[in-house]
Amino acid sequence: MPSRNSSRTRSHNGGIDKLDFDSQRRASSTLGESGRSSPNGLLRDDESFFEDVVDGVIERDRRKMRRMVIKYISFACSILSCLCAGSVTAYSVYGHLFLSRLRYTQSQVNLVAIAAGTCTYVLGTVVGYLCDRYSPRPVSLASAFLNCFGYLLAAFTYRKGPPVARGGEGWPVGVMIFAFVMIGTGTICMYMSALSTSAKNFGRSKYKGLAIALPVASLGLSGLWQSQVGSKLLCEPGPAGGKGDVDVFRFFGFLAGTLAGAGLIGSFGLRVVDEEEMIEEAVEELERSGLLEESSFFQRSVLHDGNGYGTLDRPFTAEEEQARQEEAAAKNQDEEEDRKKTWLLNAETRLFLTDPTMWFFMAGFFLATGPCEAFINNFGTMLDTIYPPPSSVPSSNSASTNVSIFAATSTLARLLLGGLSDVFAPTSPMPSVRRPASSSSSSSIFSEPSKQFTISRLTLLLTTTTFLTISFVLLASPLLSTKPMLFPLITAFLGTGYGALFSLTPIIVSVVWGVQNFGTNWGIMATVPAAGAAVWGGVYSAVYEKNAGEDELCWGRGCFETTAWAWVACGVVTMALWVWAWRGRGGWKARHIAV
């Protein structure tokens, strides 16, 4: 073994080596190829090892930072998409002009709104399925084309004037209905692609409530700012140089361009981060829960071995064989991931649909949202009925003012309740809880950490549903006829309840049934407002037309009193159904689900 003097001599001749002067380090020997020991061999191995560790840590941090950047860029795109997607909520700003200028009947005005609402909700399951199975980006791209085409067609239909059947020269009302079918489809595509991306990226975060509430709140804001742009900037000249009604043609053109741009941005920016890892964890959780029997997915046999690609006329070289095996392994891995994802999402859908509490929860959602949707589509005509001629609706109680009040209160409720649900709601260490309805035994993996003070999300939801019921009582009472300025208060109460419904309901869905299949699950749940809007919109129109005069216009509280009392009953039944899903037999509390 060379002496320290010889090592020091080499250091002076060839430069100072690391650790040459470490008198405490004992020279360790390694055998070289010649069989002699090498004093610095272990040191070089140590240096190489630690360099690899450092490089690995740096690369891991880079990947983590890249994922975080992508996640928050996707979140920003989700907010932008939802800030534009809720254009149909501004329908009351121009809906009454369809009645007066296009000479549509009240049923036809409602039919146009119902067409958009039906597509917005009924197609939620299909659109959510596409977001889960593929990705949100192509869905966002489709929304750009659908919204642009729909609003341009609606703009030119409006410009043509009343249809021939109503004494004009315009296009049939069916063209307007078709335009709003496109708009409704584009709306749900933009909304679901944005919400699904946000829910999956932040579903395992402790701020998942706020991550869902912010896009939902942005959806409410879209109606606010778009109605203000229409009534303040894109309006017709009014009497004495003031501002008149919204210029519908210009407003529709503005919406076409805005929504097309938002959809295109989302088609590039909406990305789900670490989806493969999320699927792996969900599969392990399903296996660990014991809720599923052995699946054929895990028992399938290999149909082709490594040599199952046919025969060639010549033997493979070593390099060709290695490349061929690597290609086959990559292909098998991709097929494995696709099969695993399909199996998982099918299992999640089956668990969702076979859970009895889901049906109670969805029934309540139907009864609560249907009257809200009917009110949103018709409060423009409601305002006209409580101001019979020769009086007119004051600007402080106009349709655009009430749209703004509704959007503002709805948005505040979504933001506030989403944040409160994160801070005060009971939590579970697992991102989702999948316990059978028949099970009531506790388990450590489903136990929730104790908090000094908690407020259940159901408590928040039931409280805000009470606001809905109060608003319907005020709408049905004789007090509104003598004090029509109560209408903004009714709008504020209803906006608060409506915002809570669409903020807390998707959060509860993600907590109870997980985020892996969130697009499909929430899409199924979101179909019921369409049915509710169709039912209660039809009831409202029937009551209105029954009390209308020869000119097909109705005046007074009788135009909607019966409908409003029916909405009060819906609110009461809704709360009863949700209490049963939460605390009834086999409910979430009995199954130790922290909602």
Side-chain angles (χ1 to χ4, degrees):
M1 177 181 296
S3 65
R4 182 175 296 275
N5 291 333
S6 62
S7 175
R8 188 171 298 178
T9 301
R10 286 194 306 271
S11 299
H12 285 297
N13 293 335
I16 298 177
D17 244 352
K18 296 178 183 177
L19 304 176
D20 274 356
F21 299 102
D22 185 1
S23 59
Q24 301 300 322
R25 179 175 292 272
R26 181 175 299 175
S28 300
S29 61
T30 57
L31 293 179
E33 294 180 359
S34 61
R36 295 186 303 170
S37 60
S38 175
N40 295 325
L42 182 57
L43 297 179
R44 287 193 295 269
D45 290 343
D46 288 346
E47 292 172 9
S48 177
F49 170 75
F50 285 113
E51 286 176 358
D52 291 342
V53 171
V54 171
D55 290 342
V57 171
I58 293 174
E59 181 61 27
R60 183 195 63 190
D61 290 343
R62 286 175 179 171
R63 289 196 300 267
K64 183 178 180 180
M65 179 61 68
R66 189 181 304 116
R67 290 196 297 268
M68 291 296 293
V69 170
I70 293 173
K71 181 182 292 187
Y72 283 101
I73 288 176
S74 297
F75 186 66
C77 291
S78 297
I79 298 295
L80 176 63
S81 294
C82 287
L83 276 173
C84 300
S87 60
V88 292
T89 60
Y91 185 80
S92 292
V93 173
Y94 53 83
H96 63 287
L97 298 177
F98 290 174
L99 194 68
S100 59
R101 299 189 183 180
L102 297 185
R103 303 176 193 168
Y104 291 172
T105 65
Q106 181 61 49
S107 295
Q108 289 173 330
V109 173
N110 270 306
L111 193 58
V112 173
I114 289 171
T118 301
C119 291
T120 299
Y121 295 116
V122 168
L123 296 179
T125 303
V126 176
V127 175
Y129 177 92
L130 294 175
C131 290
D132 287 336
R133 264 61 177 183
Y134 302 101
S135 77
R137 288 187 290 175
V139 177
S140 181
L141 180 63
S143 73
F145 290 101
L146 289 167
N147 281 312
C148 184
F149 175 78
Y151 272 116
L152 288 178
L153 181 61
F156 285 101
T157 303
Y158 182 84
R159 171 171 277 190
K160 286 289 184 179
V164 175
R166 305 295 295 178
E169 298 179 353
W171 295 339
V173 66
V175 178
M176 185 67 79
I177 293 173
F178 177 73
F180 273 80
V181 166
M182 296 294 101
I183 293 167
T185 306
T187 297
I188 189 60
C189 286
M190 186 171 289
Y191 168 66
M192 286 300 298
S193 61
L195 189 62
S196 178
T197 301
S198 183
K200 291 185 178 183
N201 281 339
F202 295 93
R204 293 174 289 178
S205 167
K206 65 178 181 179
Y207 299 113
K208 58 178 173 290
L210 197 59
I212 293 176
L214 281 173
V216 174
S218 300
L219 187 72
L221 277 176
S222 62
L224 173 63
W225 74 266
Q226 287 166 357
S227 63
Q228 290 301 310
V229 167
S231 60
K232 305 299 183 185
L233 300 179
L234 302 175
C235 57
E236 300 171 343
K243 295 180 179 179
D245 290 317
V246 61
D247 187 330
V248 178
F249 180 80
R250 293 170 59 203
F251 185 52
F252 283 174
F254 165 76
L255 292 176
T258 301
L259 295 174
L264 290 174
I265 292 173
S267 67
F268 291 99
L270 295 175
R271 298 179 62 183
V272 178
V273 180
D274 293 334
E275 186 176 18
E276 294 80 6
E277 179 182 347
M278 181 172 59
I279 291 173
E280 289 288 348
E281 291 180 359
V283 170
E284 292 175 2
E285 184 187 345
L286 284 173
E287 291 181 292
R288 183 172 57 248
S289 68
L291 300 180
L292 299 178
E293 298 177 356
E294 288 297 321
S295 170
S296 59
F297 170 79
F298 296 106
Q299 298 176 348
R300 65 182 182 277
S301 60
V302 179
L303 300 179
H304 300 284
D305 58 18
N307 298 320
Y309 290 89
T311 59
L312 297 177
D313 294 336
R314 62 177 180 81
F316 291 111
T317 64
E319 293 79 4
E320 290 174 336
E321 180 65 24
Q322 182 179 1
R324 181 169 162 273
Q325 290 178 356
E326 291 176 354
E327 180 182 357
K331 181 179 179 181
N332 290 336
Q333 179 67 23
D334 292 340
E335 293 177 350
E336 176 84 2
E337 293 297 331
D338 290 341
R339 284 194 293 266
K340 184 180 294 185
K341 181 177 181 179
T342 300
W343 174 84
L344 171 67
L345 297 181
N346 289 339
E348 296 274 6
T349 303
R350 183 169 59 253
L351 288 172
F352 180 74
L353 293 175
T354 55
D355 188 344
T357 61
M358 186 277 291
W359 295 101
F360 289 113
F361 191 57
M362 188 163 66
F365 193 56
F366 164 80
L367 292 173
T369 55
C372 293
E373 297 291 343
F375 178 87
I376 293 169
N377 293 333
N378 293 286
F379 68 69
T381 56
M382 287 182 183
L383 283 168
D384 290 337
T385 64
I386 61 178
Y387 288 97
S391 61
S392 60
V393 180
S395 59
S396 60
N397 203 11
S398 65
S400 61
T401 299
N402 280 277
V403 166
S404 299
I405 292 172
F406 182 89
T409 54
S410 175
T411 300
L412 289 175
R414 298 176 200 211
L415 290 173
L416 180 62
L417 293 171
L420 287 176
S421 70
D422 284 334
V423 175
F424 294 111
T427 58
S428 172
M430 298 299 293
S432 63
V433 180
R434 300 176 181 85
R435 295 182 66 80
S438 60
S439 174
S440 61
S441 61
S442 62
S443 175
S444 61
I445 64 171
F446 295 104
S447 62
E448 59 189 62
S450 60
K451 281 186 178 182
Q452 292 183 348
F453 179 73
T454 61
I455 301 176
S456 171
R457 295 178 179 92
L458 263 298
T459 300
L460 296 174
L461 188 59
L462 291 169
T463 301
T464 51
T465 305
T466 304
F467 281 95
L468 276 181
T469 308
I470 292 173
S471 69
F472 295 144
V473 170
L474 290 175
L475 191 65
S477 69
L479 195 61
L480 186 62
S481 298
T482 57
K483 296 183 178 180
M485 289 308 295
L486 280 176
F487 202 89
L489 178 63
I490 294 172
T491 303
F493 277 10
L494 201 139
T496 301
Y498 185 83
L501 285 173
F502 283 92
S503 175
L504 293 174
T505 304
I507 295 173
I508 291 171
V509 169
S510 70
V511 169
V512 178
W513 294 286
V515 297
Q516 295 79 16
N517 204 39
F518 176 81
T520 303
N521 293 347
W522 174 237
I524 293 171
M525 187 72 68
T527 58
V528 297
V535 170
W536 291 112
V539 170
Y540 174 84
S541 296
V543 173
Y544 182 97
E545 292 176 355
K546 180 181 179 181
N547 292 276
E550 294 181 357
D551 57 356
E552 298 181 351
L553 297 177
C554 182
W555 310 103
R557 188 169 57 91
C559 300
F560 52 82
E561 179 183 6
T562 303
T563 307
W565 281 119
W567 292 348
V568 173
C570 286
V572 174
V573 175
T574 292
M575 290 187 281
L577 289 170
W578 285 345
V579 169
W580 180 259
W582 179 24
R583 292 180 174 269
R585 180 180 300 177
W588 301 328
K589 186 174 180 63
R591 289 152 55 185
H592 304 279
I593 298 178
V595 292

